[in-house]
Structures are given as C-alpha cells and as structure tokens.
C-alpha cells in the first residue's frame, strides 16, 4: 500500500487514494462535490455587508464555547467567516485575535471584519499577519479559547479544479499534515489551563484529521489526564439574529466529528475535534 501511495498522482491517483479510504461512498462524495455547497448568509443588522459561508463551517465554529472567555484566538482566520461567528457570540468585554500568515488573505480578513461587523465588535478584534506555528515561541498559555481551522488538502476544491486535480499527489497530504501539526502543537501551547480549542479542517484525509489528534495524544497526553475531548454541543440561538440555518447532522469519528456533503445536501466536508486542556505543558 505504501509503495502504491508513493506513485499516486493526478486525477487517477486522487480517485484511487480516496477510493481506498471511502470505498463505494467515494462516488457519492464526488457527486456531491459537483453540486453547489450549502451556503448560508451571515448578516449583522448593524453592519455594512453580508458574508456567505458553508453551514458546516458555521456549525464547526459554534462548537467553540466563547461565553465567559476573555481572550479568544482564531489562529488561521482568513477569509473570515468563522471569525464572524466567534466575534458575534463573544462577551462584550472579550477580545478576539484573528491571525493569517498570508498578507493577501490578511487584507481580505481585515475587510470582512470591518464591513461585516459593527464598530462595537470589530474594535475589539486585532487582525495580524504572521506564522501561527511560531506564536508559541513568544508566548504560552495566554488564550482561553482557540479556533484552529488549519490549512488543508481541501479535496472539494481540488476535485473542482482540473489544474489542481492534475497536479495532485499523495506527498501533498504529507506536506500539509506537517504544517498542521506545527500549528496544532503551537495552538495547544497557547491554550490556557481549562481552556478549550476546536481543531478543524475541510479535508477528507484521515492524516489531516483524526491522526492529528492522535498525534496530540502521543505528544501531550501520555498519562491520559492532560486534556480531554469534549462532545459536540451547539446552541443555534446564539446566532439567530445573524444567521438563519438548520444545523447539519454530523458523524462521529475516532477523535472528533465530520459533516459530509453526500448526506448533508452538499454541506462540508468539515472535520472538527473539541479539546479541553486540563494541565500545563510548561515545565
């Protein structure tokens, strides 16, 4: 299998690889990719513009409880949809840091925050442009809530773009998963004791999803009491004034949850895991 994986390339390799994972379901997933994904409108009544995002993305962001939190971090925030969901729910005295490593995408994020939220909220948001994997070298255990919506393989976009599909290779997953681990281990160090983090991707590859959380266990939870995984818990009424949607259903995975487009009217894919930190990693 490993030898074959090394030669998987292009559209044929892409299909072979995901067929190995999803079996007969893969054809249904591809059919759902062709259809328009299930977007919903975020519209704050006091803001200038609306923003449209996948209902699965809304649901993933809702799984980060922000009530009572003072310091919130969206570590890979562009283009900004999940930032809006977090910001619209945070307490009036809370602050949100929204970071993006790409300067072009940071500009887009800054625009979304300023035009899709009222001044009272966006004045408490700091937008930055830096590599999130390096944040832990400057500070630790300083955010009580973190959303890490990590860069990923984004198979839906690959499938829809002939150029990306022809350039696809299995090595791309390995490269991306290395980036994800650097971000996840940094975010975990940034999380305060008793803090909560949501790790999410729009990937289908297990190496980018459950295997990331498995790696977190091996690194930080060897004794089994450093962190725990929380069940999904969403209160849709928190955003009833800004978003009109029906919550998609999710599937349980080994360490988290997934929302799959083939059974959720095109919503997703989204993977997310909810991590509650119980012990310090500072020695």
């Amino acid at each position: 299998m490993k030898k074959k994986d090394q030669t998987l390339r292009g559209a044929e390799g892409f299909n072979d690889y995901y067929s190995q994972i999803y079996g007969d379901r893969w054809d249904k997933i591809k059919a759902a990719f062709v259809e328009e994904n299930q977007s919903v409108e975020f519209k704050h009544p006091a803001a200038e513009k609306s923003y449209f995002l996948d209902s699965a993305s809304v649901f993933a962001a809702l799984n980060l409880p922000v009530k009572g939190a003072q310091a919130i971090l969206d570590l890979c925030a562009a283009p900004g949809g999940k930032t809006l969901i977090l910001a619209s729910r945070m307490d009036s005295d809370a602050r949100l840091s929204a970071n993006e490593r790409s300067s072009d995408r940071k500009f887009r994020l800054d625009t979304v925050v300023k035009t899709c939220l009222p001044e009272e909220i966006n004045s408490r948001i700091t937008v930055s442009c830096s590599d999130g994997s390096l944040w832990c070298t400057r500070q630790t255990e300083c955010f009580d809530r973190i959303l890490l919506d990590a860069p990923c393989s984004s198979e839906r976009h690959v499938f829809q773009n002939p150029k990306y599909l022809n350039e696809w290779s299995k090595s791309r997953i390995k490269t991306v998963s290395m980036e994800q681990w650097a971000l996840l281990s940094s975010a975990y160090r940034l999380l305060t004791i008793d803090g909560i983090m949501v790790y999410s991707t729009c990937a289908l590859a297990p190496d980018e999803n459950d295997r990331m959380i498995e790696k977190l266990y091996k690194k930080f939870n060897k004794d089994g009491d450093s962190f725990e995984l929380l069940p999904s818990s969403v209160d849709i009424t928190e955003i009833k004034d800004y978003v009109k949607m029906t919550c998609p259903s999710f599937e349980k995975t080994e360490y988290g949850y997934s929302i799959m487009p083939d059974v959720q009217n095109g919503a997703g894919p989204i993977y997310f895991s909810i991590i509650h930190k119980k012990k310090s990693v500072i020695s």
Side-chain angles (χ1 to χ4, degrees):
M1 182 69 73
K2 288 184 178 179
K3 185 176 180 180
K4 183 178 180 181
D5 281 351
Q6 292 172 0
T7 62
L8 291 175
R9 292 184 177 278
E12 183 178 355
F14 181 83
N15 280 306
D16 285 350
Y17 178 73
Y18 289 99
S19 292
Q20 292 172 26
I21 298 172
Y22 290 97
D24 293 340
R25 188 178 184 181
W26 176 233
D27 286 337
K28 297 177 182 178
I29 294 171
K30 288 190 295 181
F33 282 170
V34 175
E35 302 297 326
E36 185 175 348
N37 65 347
Q38 195 180 76
S39 294
V40 295
E41 180 184 18
F42 175 95
K43 180 65 174 78
H44 195 290
E48 177 184 344
K49 293 184 177 180
S50 298
Y51 187 92
F52 291 87
L53 69 165
D54 193 313
S55 61
S57 295
V58 175
F59 188 84
L62 283 173
N63 273 276
L64 184 67
V66 296
K67 295 301 180 185
Q70 295 296 298
I72 305 165
L73 172 62
D74 190 349
L75 192 55
C76 300
K82 293 185 181 70
T83 303
L84 299 179
I85 301 301
L86 298 181
S88 64
R89 298 161 53 225
M90 67 181 180
D91 293 343
S92 59
D93 60 345
R95 298 196 64 86
L96 170 62
S97 296
N99 179 68
E100 172 55 45
R101 68 179 178 181
S102 161
S103 57
D104 289 341
R105 285 169 60 82
K106 184 263 184 182
F107 178 79
R108 167 64 173 153
L109 171 64
D110 209 19
T111 301
V112 167
V113 167
K114 289 178 178 177
T115 60
C116 298
L117 291 169
E119 173 62 22
E120 186 280 322
I121 296 179
N122 67 49
S123 64
R124 291 182 286 115
I125 301 174
T126 300
V127 177
S128 59
C129 182
S130 63
D131 184 348
S133 67
L134 300 178
W135 275 42
C136 66
T137 63
R138 302 189 296 270
Q139 52 190 330
T140 54
E141 299 187 346
C142 49
F143 293 98
D144 46 11
R145 297 292 186 273
I146 298 176
L147 174 65
L148 172 54
D149 183 35
C152 69
S153 290
S154 189
E155 292 91 349
R156 182 172 198 141
H157 297 296
V158 171
F159 182 75
Q160 293 174 339
N161 188 309
K163 178 178 180 292
Y164 293 150
L165 189 59
N166 289 331
E167 293 175 350
W168 183 89
S169 72
K170 174 66 165 53
S171 63
R172 172 61 180 162
I173 296 174
K174 182 177 180 180
T175 300
V176 170
S177 63
M178 291 173 62
E179 296 173 2
Q180 291 167 339
W181 173 244
L183 287 163
L184 180 57
S185 57
S186 177
Y188 189 76
R189 291 180 172 93
L190 292 167
L191 191 63
T192 60
I193 301 171
D194 203 35
I196 298 173
M197 171 170 60
V198 166
Y199 171 79
S200 69
T201 78
C202 59
L204 291 171
D207 284 355
E208 302 180 45
N209 297 332
D210 271 347
R211 299 289 75 79
M212 280 293 111
I213 307 303
E214 183 175 76
K215 195 169 183 177
L216 195 71
Y217 266 102
K218 292 178 180 178
K219 176 68 175 180
F220 295 112
N221 207 24
K222 294 178 181 178
D223 296 328
D225 59 355
S226 296
F227 70 80
E228 63 180 348
L229 299 182
L230 300 179
S232 175
S233 179
V234 166
D235 182 3
I236 193 68
T237 63
E238 288 187 310
I239 55 168
K240 63 181 177 62
D241 294 332
Y242 319 121
V243 178
K244 309 300 180 186
M245 62 172 267
T246 301
C247 285
S249 297
F250 54 79
E251 304 171 29
K252 186 72 180 73
T253 68
E254 187 175 3
Y255 296 110
Y257 304 90
S258 64
I259 298 173
M260 299 294 288
D262 59 321
V263 291
Q264 291 303 311
N265 298 315
I270 285 286
Y271 170 88
F272 63 94
S273 183
I274 311 158
I275 301 153
H276 175 216
K277 185 175 183 178
K278 300 166 67 177
K279 283 189 175 181
S280 175
V281 295
I282 300 175
S283 57

